[in-house]
Amino acid sequence: MIEARLHLPRDGFTLDVALSLPERGVSALFGPSGCGKTTVLRALAGLERAAGRVALGSEVWQDDAAGAFVPTHRRALGYVIQDAALFPHLDVQRNLDYGRRRIPPALRRIEPEQIVDLLGIAHLMRRRPDTLSGGERQRVAIARALATSPRLLLMDEPLAALDAQRKAEVLPYLDRLHAELAIPVVYVSHAVDEVARLAHHLVLLDRGRVVAAGPLADMMARLDLPTARGEGAGVVLDAVVAERDAPWQLARLQVGDGDFVLWARDHGLPVGSAVRVRVLARDVSLTRAPQTGTSIGNQLAGTVEAIADDEHAALALVRVRVGVVPVVARLTRRSAFALQLAPGQPVWAHVKTVALME
Amino acid sequence: MTPADWTAVRLTAQLAAWTTLLLLLVGTPVGWWLARTRSRLKPLWSAVVAMPIVLPPTVIGFYLLLLMGPQGPVGQLTQSLGLGRLPFTFAGLVVASVLYSMPFVVQPLQQAFEAIPARTLEAAATLRAGPFDRFFSVALPLARPGLLTAAVLGFAHTVGEFGVVLMIGGNIPGATRVLSVAIYDHVESTEFADAHRLAAAMVVFAMVVLVALYVVNRPARTDRSTAP
């Protein structure tokens, strides 16, 4: 576990958090601007001095009770920020070598070729940072951090400075990072889309406090959290490609063990591939009976589990359990009233769009 | 030019070289400290460093003379260390020049260090570089244009000083008689042709040095990684 207890008075609020993050996968710190998530990350890195304790497994980086504080340059971490902060006086190759040369050879667990390959920067090695595009710069910054074979990778909104196209260019590399290297990542973001795509564990922060924390899928299915507000609300599901329908270019995705099946556009993934699927609340509608003569191909039988008010007074959020898997639907309160929805009641959920994320 | 004038030229070059060397050694940590400190004493120390810009050289020379003289604390120290007295020696001139040219070296260095974003140095820390390592591997290379400016201004300003030299060094050929004093002597003795030669050479020197400086530092290599 990555354990941190941090206390730090800031302008306007006091940061006071206790975190316990899994030592594998991507943990996202999510919250509005100024909620303290960057400060948490900086304190984990030792760049900011908060009171408390920071430990990565058995390795203690800070323990005020014991008077211990390991300075940043002695912590086996990688740190990537929004604007890359590459060294402008060094070319890409020497940027990558900078950290690698500073760790003992015995600790170099990741080969530079592997990193260069993973991030697709082989053709950039002789370039200067100021000749790179934003997306290239970010990939080099990630590679530079990985070259130190860190035990923990800290990322502070690494995509925030990029436009949608550049973001789409970098995101697949972040996916591969997790798939190929077993390095835990703490990822700061205020974009729910990034979190839904990358995170496995989610910590919600607001004004210096932890609002809620837990596995991503559970958190996204909760109706009482800020993640359930806004256009990004919706569940994240782990699925497996079960069948590919070549004539219609569709793929059948199996969610869990039961009858939860979704048809989505076939992106060419082979049968058996694990995929992450996002079903937005606004793309789910509910009926009392199965429908015929509808264009929506995904109909799921489930049970209403919970109903909550949405941000706007006209809307309601309804969580429906399909087998053991939750799906969230956004309806008007009038519709919810007309359908006489109540917990325990069987309904049909119609999923219009399924977003495949891996 | 007379052999005496050549001696003055050589002496001036030596003085400026020693002064520049010492100033880079002293001024770099001072500039770094001023650039990075959050101390409330920063304005005070900035003012101390900048004093020679506003004070008449005679004032600096006067106080240095008192400090380094036989009764002054510095003078007593140098004597007790067996170094003799500093006034009216080449060593004394070097000490005075270091103080007098200090702001011209410290300020470009300080500005160069201030222009390095904190996040770049923090990135170095997260890449396992300790404080000294960060300074030599990131801060100094990025401050190179400032370093060059500091060296050139320190050298040129020392070549051009007069008042402090006269107060501390006097006019001893081969020891303290530098160019500016030699020109003054020529004018005093109405040797205008000699004065012209040296004065014109100084103008050309100043011009060449400054143009070279502006040419070298012209393409201000900015950190474009801040721009999206």
Side-chain angles (χ1 to χ4, degrees), chain A residues 255-260 305 320-327:
Chain A
V255 182
D257 304 324
D259 304 328
F260 197 151
E305 192 177 43
V320 175
R321 217 159 258 279
V322 179
V324 294
V325 183
V327 176

Side-chain angles (χ1 to χ4, degrees), chain B residues 16-28 91 94-95 98 102 105:
Chain B
W18 274 110
T19 302
T20 307
L21 184 71
L22 290 174
L23 268 177
L24 286 179
L25 289 178
V26 176
T28 304
V94 171
V95 171
V98 163
M102 183 79 81
V105 172

Side-chain angles (χ1 to χ4, degrees), chain A residues 42 47 72-73 75-77 79 81 83 85 87-89 98-99 102-103 128 130 137 144-145 148 150, chain B residues 119-120 122-131 133-134 137-138 141-142 221 223-228:
Chain A
R42 289 175 59 80
L47 294 171
T72 301
H73 66 276
R75 299 185 182 193
L77 54 84
Y79 199 86
I81 61 171
D83 68 2
F87 301 124
H89 61 301
Y98 188 94
R102 284 168 170 77
I103 57 166
R128 288 252 171 190
D130 58 3
R137 231 177 277 157
R144 183 177 68 169
T148 61
Chain B
R119 59 176 185 278
T120 306
E122 287 180 353
T126 65
L127 294 165
R128 310 291 186 282
D133 190 355
R134 297 200 283 277
S137 64
V138 178
L142 289 181
R221 269 248 296 287
D223 180 3
R224 277 214 287 141
S225 64
T226 52

Side-chain angles (χ1 to χ4, degrees), chain B residues 128-153:
Chain B
R128 310 291 186 282
F132 282 96
D133 190 355
R134 297 200 283 277
F135 178 77
F136 286 106
S137 64
V138 178
L140 267 191
L142 289 181
R144 210 176 54 178
L147 217 60
L148 186 70
T149 305
V152 169
L153 287 184

Side-chain angles (χ1 to χ4, degrees), chain B residues 132-183:
Chain B
F132 282 96
D133 190 355
R134 297 200 283 277
F135 178 77
F136 286 106
S137 64
V138 178
L140 267 191
L142 289 181
R144 210 176 54 178
L147 217 60
L148 186 70
T149 305
V152 169
L153 287 184
F155 190 93
H157 188 252
T158 305
V159 167
E161 74 184 70
F162 175 69
V164 173
V165 173
L166 210 57
M167 296 286 284
I168 296 293
N171 189 4
I172 305 164
T176 64
R177 189 174 182 263
V178 294
L179 265 173
S180 55
V181 179
I183 293 170

Side-chain angles (χ1 to χ4, degrees), chain A residues 32-97:
Chain A
S33 300
C35 71
K37 50 197 193 299
T38 292
T39 308
V40 170
L41 207 68
R42 289 175 59 80
L44 290 179
L47 294 171
E48 195 106 27
R49 190 75 187 256
R53 187 173 190 279
V54 176
L56 174 63
S58 58
E59 212 175 300
V60 177
W61 280 348
Q62 179 182 353
D63 190 354
D64 289 358
F69 185 86
V70 179
T72 301
H73 66 276
R74 299 221 179 85
R75 299 185 182 193
L77 54 84
Y79 199 86
V80 179
I81 61 171
Q82 191 174 325
D83 68 2
L86 298 177
F87 301 124
H89 61 301
L90 303 176
D91 63 16
V92 169
Q93 174 76 60
R94 288 194 294 159
N95 263 283
L96 296 190
D97 290 343

